[in-house]
Amino acid sequence: MILSDAHRQFQTKVRDFAEKEIAPCARDLDRTGEFPWNFVKRMAELKLTAVYVPEKYGGAGLDTLYYSIAVEEIGRVCGSTGIFLAAHSSLGVFPIFYAGNEEQKQKWLIPLAKGEKIGSFGLTEPEAGSDAAATKTTVKSDGDKYILNGAKRFITSGSIADVIIITATHDPAKGYHGISAFVVEKGAPGFSYGKDEEKLGLHGSITSELIFEDCVIPKENLLGQEGDGFKIFMETLDGGRISIGALALGIGQGALDAAVSFSKTHKKSGKPLSKSQSIQSMIAEMATDIEAARLLVYQAAALKDAGLPFVKEAAMAKYYASTAGMKAANMAIDIHGLLGITDTYPVERFIRDEKLMEIGEGTSEIQKIVIARQILGK
């Protein structure tokens, strides 16, 4: 897919920011596990925190392809910063942009889009991951309030978010028909945090448990109508798969970049590794897979922007890009040899960061189910 001049100029701007400001700090972020607050501020200044949101609501007023490029370029140097951007923009911002009324957009969408507040998305539970309809968190109506009880787990930016969109069920017997979506703000009565997870990768990203014990929220925090929650979250996940595909693509591209650089600067038997046909074969395979993933991601974004069906293509992009990215990261380590498993080089970080891309926002197996149902019918 050939990018327009405007998209390429945007790509150059984001790449310049990522390489000059984020890349030099990526290793330390991974080592310390500190959240990249300074990069959040800079991304807000560059209008990257809600690229696709109209300017009247604080966004950049661009499209999904621009947004995918932003996630890809940042993920190329730092998965932790990339996953923040993807989760904030796709999961924290989109449900309010998609289903919020004007009052909700004024209250929450604008500060989220401007990066003044951090957004998050609570779907996964201790007993409900891939099966989103099995939500156990409950909600009861009480006059002008709702009362929430339950827990969410593995929530990106959960304990640092100002605004979290969650699902809860009015009646588990109704399945997905009984699920609604709500906005929960930091400090809501009865809302607390469990542990922040120690993870294989993405160390600079906060992953939290959320606890609701008779949590009280106003009735106006309902998104859409009661019973709309499953639809809102599925729409959110369909678009979110494009961003996770873009992030997987970016991390895989970072692994390829590192492998190419290493092969040119390190020698074996007096010759650069890049002169070896076996190394050339590996790099050719990596590059082809990454380029194919890029075409899938960009196509899904373009279809969404055109208002055309994109569910199958988004699932394909997420599935293929995460698979190709893991393969690229693994081959990059092979090219580095034993040096590849040390933190002297970024490839061991890339493979740890890439693994989540095969799991988060629907596992690879779930993506294959989505793809097959789109082709075969439900």
Side-chain angles (χ1 to χ4, degrees):
M1 180 176 178
I2 299 174
L3 295 177
S4 69
D5 289 343
H7 283 102
R8 288 202 176 278
Q9 289 170 6
F10 177 81
Q11 182 182 54
T12 299
K13 181 184 80 169
V14 180
R15 181 174 296 179
D16 187 62
F17 160 64
E19 290 182 344
K20 290 182 178 178
E21 300 186 41
I22 301 177
C25 304
R27 182 185 180 193
D28 286 341
L29 274 177
D30 181 66
R31 283 180 165 184
T32 64
E34 293 182 8
F35 183 75
W37 291 106
N38 54 328
F39 297 145
V40 174
K41 181 179 179 181
R42 285 289 292 127
M43 286 189 288
E45 292 171 352
L46 294 169
K47 288 189 171 291
L48 300 180
T49 42
V51 171
Y52 61 87
V53 171
E55 291 180 292
K56 71 175 183 177
Y57 292 122
L62 302 174
D63 61 25
T64 309
L65 182 54
Y66 279 100
Y67 168 52
S68 300
I69 290 168
V71 174
E72 176 190 353
E73 291 300 326
I74 290 170
R76 184 168 157 260
V77 300
C78 181
S80 292
T81 307
I83 193 67
F84 161 76
L85 179 60
H88 172 82
S89 300
S90 290
L91 305 182
V93 171
F94 179 80
I96 300 174
F97 174 59
Y98 168 70
N101 58 39
E102 187 61 28
E103 183 179 347
Q104 291 169 332
K105 289 177 179 178
Q106 292 294 325
K107 183 176 181 179
W108 294 308
L109 180 58
I110 291 174
L112 286 169
K114 289 182 176 180
E116 297 168 353
K117 291 182 181 294
I118 289 176
S120 186
F121 175 90
L123 175 62
T124 302
E125 298 182 357
E127 297 181 20
S130 296
D131 185 4
T135 295
K136 296 290 193 293
T137 297
T138 63
V139 58
K140 291 184 178 180
S141 179
D142 182 15
D144 61 352
K145 303 181 291 295
Y146 286 114
I147 310 297
L148 300 167
N149 280 283
K152 302 291 181 177
R153 195 175 183 193
F154 304 125
I155 307 305
T156 302
S157 301
S159 65
I160 60 169
D162 302 289
V163 177
I164 303 175
I165 296 88
I166 72 157
T167 50
T169 178
H170 300 270
D171 181 359
K174 292 183 177 180
Y176 67 85
H177 294 292
I179 296 173
S180 295
F182 304 90
V183 178
V184 180
E185 295 182 275
K186 180 184 286 186
F191 174 38
S192 62
Y193 310 105
K195 66 175 181 176
D196 287 337
E197 300 288 347
E198 298 285 341
K199 308 187 297 295
L200 172 71
L202 301 168
H203 291 162
S205 170
I206 307 298
T207 306
S208 312
E209 180 183 21
L210 311 179
I211 300 170
F212 306 95
E213 298 175 308
D214 292 330
C215 174
V216 180
I217 60 171
K219 276 284 179 72
E220 53 264 31
N221 286 29
L222 172 71
L223 279 182
Q225 304 297 315
E226 290 188 358
D228 286 350
F230 191 79
K231 176 186 175 183
I232 292 168
F233 271 51
M234 290 302 101
E235 290 283 345
T236 300
L237 290 174
D238 286 339
R241 286 168 183 148
I242 299 174
S243 68
I244 294 300
L247 180 55
L249 166 64
I251 296 171
Q253 182 66 59
L256 173 60
D257 294 343
V260 169
S261 176
F262 187 89
S263 72
K264 288 180 176 180
T265 56
H266 286 71
K267 295 181 179 181
K268 182 178 181 180
S269 302
K271 294 182 179 180
L273 291 173
S274 59
K275 298 296 183 181
S276 164
Q277 286 189 349
S278 62
I279 299 295
Q280 291 173 4
S281 177
M282 293 170 74
I283 287 175
E285 191 172 344
M286 293 162 68
T288 302
D289 286 344
I290 293 298
E291 193 61 30
R294 179 170 290 110
L295 291 171
L296 282 169
V297 171
Y298 287 10
Q299 175 187 241
L303 287 171
K304 187 174 189 294
D305 289 331
L308 297 172
F310 68 94
V311 172
K312 178 188 70 177
E313 288 78 7
M316 286 178 167
K318 196 269 186 186
Y319 166 59
Y320 189 82
S322 60
T323 302
M326 276 298 291
K327 179 180 173 183
N330 191 55
M331 294 177 83
I333 289 176
D334 288 345
I335 289 171
H336 283 67
L338 285 175
L339 290 172
I341 62 172
T342 72
D343 72 353
T344 303
Y345 294 91
V347 288
E348 63 85 29
R349 169 166 53 87
F350 288 143
I351 199 168
R352 289 187 288 105
D353 289 352
E354 189 73 89
K355 186 60 190 175
L356 178 70
M357 306 306 120
E358 294 186 313
I359 301 171
E361 292 202 39
T363 64
S364 292
E365 292 305 314
I366 290 294
Q367 303 312 314
K368 287 188 276 188
I369 291 171
V370 171
I371 295 163
R373 285 178 176 174
Q374 290 293 313
I375 295 170
L376 301 172
K378 298 180 180 180

